[in-house]
Amino acid sequence: DTEVTQTPKHLVMGMTNKKSLKCEQHMGHRAMYWYKQKAKKPPELMFVYSYEKLSINESVPSRFSPECPNSSLLNLHLHALQPEDSALYLCASSQVPAGNTQYFGPGTRLTVL
Amino acid sequence: LAKTTQPISMDSYEGQEVNITCSHNNIATNDYITWYQQFPSQGPRFIIQGYKTKVTNEVASLFIPADRKSSTLSLPRVSLSDTAVYYCLVGDFYSSASKIIFGSGTRLSIRP
């Protein structure tokens, strides 16, 4: 199984809502990542978890709150987002050390109204 | 992390060989070169990685000259389904849970 799954596929939320994005992998990878991708732009790294501990936070606003409850799951909790946060949110996983491959999920298309 | 420079876009035709070159002048000794492919509204997909000389897999070849300041991704006999964005990344991917910084990528369009 070389698949990273993400739910939901699409999410529309208001600026006062609280929602969560979920990511799951069963490849035994111990590093998991969140990226944000705007249209026609490259993915931008947001967070890295290594062995379920946050190892990299790329100065992401606190309205994005990551959580890694176990080695297979990664969540991204969203609260009080802005319309400019609308984007494709990608989850990825890899072995640790990162090695040669990050496996990406299909992403969640988020729209903030 | 080494900065990479790629052409913004390229066009080609079905059945042709496509070569996409990436410049990475400040590549470090421990850095590897990795290429990802991304289709619209999908996550990037690993294509190939190399350190020096030539690497080939079932999808592509990667050519890296001796000075390692550039690399070329070669896609043999492209088809319409190869239309995608191709990202060249350079970094020490064997350090612990390393960052991956995507450059601007090359938007490849294949025509019939």
Side-chain angles (χ1 to χ4, degrees):
Chain A
D1 182 5
T2 58
E3 190 179 22
V4 175
T5 59
Q6 290 188 244
T7 55
K9 287 188 177 180
H10 301 276
L11 178 62
V12 179
M13 59 187 290
M15 290 190 285
T16 58
N17 292 156
K18 284 185 181 182
K19 296 286 185 184
S20 296
L21 309 184
K22 297 186 183 303
C23 173
E24 190 166 4
Q25 57 89 13
H26 295 287
M27 294 178 278
H29 290 167
R30 301 306 296 274
M32 296 186 78
Y33 310 76
W34 280 115
Y35 290 84
K36 172 182 177 180
Q37 186 173 28
K38 302 283 273 183
K40 298 193 184 301
K41 297 290 187 184
E44 296 175 27
L45 183 66
M46 299 173 73
F47 302 104
V48 180
Y49 272 83
S50 177
Y51 293 101
E52 295 90 69
K53 298 226 182 310
L54 184 64
S55 60
I56 296 175
N57 177 340
E58 290 291 275
S59 303
V60 178
S62 60
R63 57 185 184 269
F64 295 92
S65 175
E67 178 197 20
C68 190
N70 60 55
S71 60
S72 300
L73 294 174
L74 185 66
N75 298 320
L76 186 63
H77 303 297
L78 314 172
H79 174 56
L81 294 193
Q82 303 297 311
E84 59 265 28
D85 296 321
S86 298
L88 181 68
Y89 287 84
L90 294 162
C91 173
S93 71
S94 72
Q95 298 173 1
V96 179
N100 60 354
T101 303
Q102 284 194 1
Y103 291 85
F104 284 81
T108 294
R109 174 73 60 190
L110 174 68
T111 303
V112 182
L113 301 176
Chain B
L1 293 167
K3 179 178 167 56
T4 60
T5 303
Q6 305 173 234
I8 294 174
S9 63
M10 293 180 67
D11 294 325
S12 189
Y13 292 91
E14 281 191 296
Q16 300 294 304
E17 177 184 77
V18 171
N19 296 309
I20 306 174
T21 297
C22 179
S23 221
H24 28 81
N25 290 319
N26 59 340
I27 189 168
T29 303
N30 293 336
D31 286 347
Y32 283 72
I33 301 152
T34 308
W35 287 79
Y36 282 79
Q37 174 193 55
Q38 187 178 25
F39 298 112
S41 297
Q42 293 187 26
R45 182 176 73 101
F46 171 86
I47 302 175
I48 197 165
Q49 185 188 65
Y51 184 80
K52 61 181 179 180
T53 63
K54 177 184 173 183
V55 180
T56 296
N57 62 23
E58 64 277 6
V59 176
S61 294
L62 179 59
F63 298 91
I64 305 167
D67 66 5
R68 303 200 327 122
K69 293 184 183 299
S70 67
S71 58
T72 299
L73 174 72
S74 181
L75 304 172
R77 297 179 300 280
V78 294
S79 65
L80 296 176
S81 63
D82 292 313
T83 295
V85 178
Y86 292 82
Y87 293 102
C88 164
L89 292 81
V90 172
D92 183 3
F93 301 118
Y94 288 86
S95 66
S96 61
S98 60
K99 292 184 183 185
I100 284 188
I101 307 297
F102 284 80
S104 53
T106 297
R107 193 169 297 273
L108 176 64
S109 297
I110 305 300
R111 302 178 182 181

